[in-house]
Amino acid sequence: MRALHTSDWHIGRTFHGHSTDDHLAQVLAAIAQAVRDHHVDVVIVAGDVFDSSTPKAEAFTMLNTAVRTIRSAGAQVVLTSGNHDGPARLGHLAEFAAFGGVHVLADLRRLAVPVAVPDAHGEVLVYGIPYVHPEFLRGAFEDFDGRTHEAALSFAMDLIRDDARTRGGEGARYVVASHCFASGEAGGGGREVHETTESTGRSEERDITRGGLDIVPPGVFQGPAYTALGHIHSRATLREDLRYSGAPLRFSFGELSSAKGAWLVDIGAAGLEGVEWLELPTPRRAVRLTGTLDHLLSPGVHEEDRDAWVDIVLTDDLRPRDAMRRAQEKFPHAVTLAHRPSTVAAHARETYADRTRGKSDAELIEAFLGFTRNGHGASPEEQELLADSLQALDAKEATR
């Protein structure tokens, strides 16, 4: 059996406020073409199919088109829910979808009920574990009282291993799709897990492991021939049989270095036979350009990036006026801009009283501008305006 492992489609998500629908549609069409070219039997989407638990109608239309095209190419489709799309909304599709070879595995109470995919050696069982919050699992199973994601995933994997053994004996071949943070060793050790956020208009990294409570050690996923992970937007190999595919598109500038694609997974008579990376098209590159505004806008500079998503970091000592508008004249898809001067003026560590004592209003304004403008005070034109304003203020005060 050959599976294609993908995840985190995030249908409906924007790139810094700009729609990515057309780009994602191109990538999903490429996945369908890969099904034909590589004779894929099942496409596994490991969670976060939608970007929201209340997706718009256009998001359902895109999903229907993608799934229909993949089915026409010859593969079954297995989708699990993530923390973004949620099991309830995605789960509504489950009952009627299965009749067409599309399987939505979003019901925690049925996480040990697999999809059987036939091959030359019998059947490969495909299990889907939605994003499992311990509280949700306690509500679904009376005999579960765990408080961490490691406990929840351990409980789920025990159920799956028991079911696979019942169906196929000790040599049962099965695959698990799980939407979670898998990292480090038992007890939450190992590397930190981060994701990007655009809440401030710039991509930043923030710890999302909640003090280790969300981390699931790789040892939890023992038994399957392959475990298809979702939740992290960059591809990662934790073991030969335990991998993240990452998201098929870049959704922030924090993912500049991550390759975008999917894993082709071959399951043979004895289990996992091989895993191959399949690169997917990049409809629009994302780049970060650093330099002074005049340099970035110079003819011949970064001409190849005119059609890319652009994050601009300006190194001018003084932030240029109308910088974003001017930048977008050359780079129409520039969506973020930051000012990080290459030289930063040093400011004396004086008290407020020391800085203001004995200074005139004009001197105070000049000092304030120098402080806020990285050492640059008022321009000659501004000095004239300030002088006129201060004189007018003095005249008004004199008439009182």
Side-chain angles (χ1 to χ4, degrees):
M1 185 203 79
R2 171 165 282 183
L4 187 146
H5 164 203
T6 178
S7 73
D8 296 274
W9 288 0
H10 286 281
I11 299 175
R13 186 160 183 165
T14 62
F15 189 93
H16 292 270
H18 297 261
S19 174
T20 61
D21 288 353
D22 290 344
H23 296 166
L24 183 58
Q26 293 178 46
V27 174
L28 297 182
I31 288 177
Q33 187 58 48
V35 169
R36 293 189 183 89
D37 295 343
H38 298 277
H39 309 290
V40 173
D41 299 297
V42 58
V43 172
I44 299 172
V45 188
D48 280 354
V49 178
F50 296 121
D51 190 56
S52 168
S53 60
T54 56
K56 296 180 179 180
E58 294 84 354
F60 283 100
T61 300
M62 181 179 292
L63 176 62
N64 292 342
T65 300
V67 167
R68 182 173 62 250
T69 308
I70 291 171
R71 287 292 297 126
S72 297
Q76 295 192 57
V77 182
V78 175
L79 305 103
T80 64
S81 58
N83 58 306
H84 276 257
D85 41 34
R89 186 59 59 101
L90 196 63
H92 285 310
L93 305 174
E95 188 171 346
F96 70 85
F99 291 102
V102 180
H103 311 273
V104 181
L105 308 183
D107 188 347
L108 283 175
R109 295 166 298 182
R110 295 176 56 82
L111 57 80
V113 179
V115 174
V117 181
D119 70 356
H121 308 289
E123 291 181 334
V124 177
L125 306 175
V126 180
Y127 296 88
I129 305 176
Y131 181 76
V132 181
H133 193 284
E135 182 179 348
F136 300 160
L137 203 61
R138 290 196 300 271
F141 295 93
E142 293 182 354
D143 54 340
F144 175 73
D145 60 359
R147 301 289 172 177
T148 67
H149 284 248
E150 178 180 351
L153 267 297
S154 296
F155 182 88
M157 285 302 302
D158 285 342
L159 293 179
I160 289 172
R161 280 188 285 263
D162 289 344
D163 182 81
R165 194 177 301 112
T166 299
R167 294 174 188 269
E170 293 296 332
R173 297 174 303 146
Y174 62 102
V175 171
V176 171
S178 178
H179 197 83
C180 67
F181 294 120
S183 174
E185 304 299 332
R191 66 177 177 87
E192 293 182 350
V193 182
H194 294 79
E195 75 172 6
T196 58
T197 176
E198 299 171 15
S199 60
T200 62
R202 294 189 52 77
S203 59
E204 303 169 347
E205 285 203 331
R206 63 185 179 93
D207 183 19
I208 49 175
T209 57
R210 300 174 189 269
L213 294 178
D214 291 2
I215 296 177
V216 181
V220 167
F221 297 102
Q222 296 292 344
Y226 182 81
T227 300
L229 297 175
H231 204 18
I232 304 300
H233 288 185
S234 300
R235 71 172 181 180
T237 300
L238 280 69
R239 289 194 314 251
E240 185 66 17
D241 61 340
L242 181 66
R243 299 171 186 253
Y244 283 99
S245 66
L249 282 183
R250 287 176 177 83
F251 293 117
S252 78
F253 290 106
E255 302 170 36
L256 284 177
S257 61
S258 61
K260 295 303 177 184
W263 294 110
L264 286 171
V265 182
D266 289 325
I267 308 295
L272 183 64
E273 288 190 343
V275 184
E276 177 185 352
W277 179 248
L278 175 68
E279 188 170 337
L280 292 172
T282 302
R284 176 167 291 141
R285 297 182 305 112
V287 298
R288 178 172 288 120
L289 305 182
T290 302
T292 65
L293 184 61
D294 286 343
H295 172 71
L296 296 179
L297 300 185
S298 298
V301 175
H302 295 298
E303 296 294 338
E304 70 281 5
D305 297 320
R306 282 183 177 270
D307 193 48
W309 296 118
V310 177
D311 172 34
I312 294 177
V313 180
L314 294 181
T315 59
D316 301 74
D317 288 347
L318 184 62
R319 183 184 178 111
R321 185 175 299 175
D322 293 334
M324 180 59 96
R325 180 189 60 77
R326 293 169 59 192
Q328 288 177 335
E329 290 177 356
K330 179 175 181 178
F331 306 106
H333 305 292
V335 291
T336 59
L337 183 147
H339 180 220
R340 299 177 189 168
S342 56
T343 58
V344 179
H347 299 287
R349 297 192 176 186
E350 298 176 297
T351 66
Y352 177 78
D354 290 336
R355 291 198 305 270
T356 59
R357 184 181 296 114
K359 289 186 172 65
S360 67
D361 289 341
E363 290 172 331
L364 287 173
I365 293 172
E366 180 70 15
F368 173 78
L369 290 176
F371 183 83
T372 58
R373 290 177 168 183
N374 194 34
H376 292 261
S379 67
E381 295 82 2
E382 290 171 335
Q383 288 176 354
E384 290 184 13
L385 289 171
L386 289 170
D388 290 343
S389 298
L390 289 173
Q391 288 174 9
L393 182 61
D394 291 340
K396 183 177 180 180
E397 291 292 330
T399 61
R400 288 188 176 182

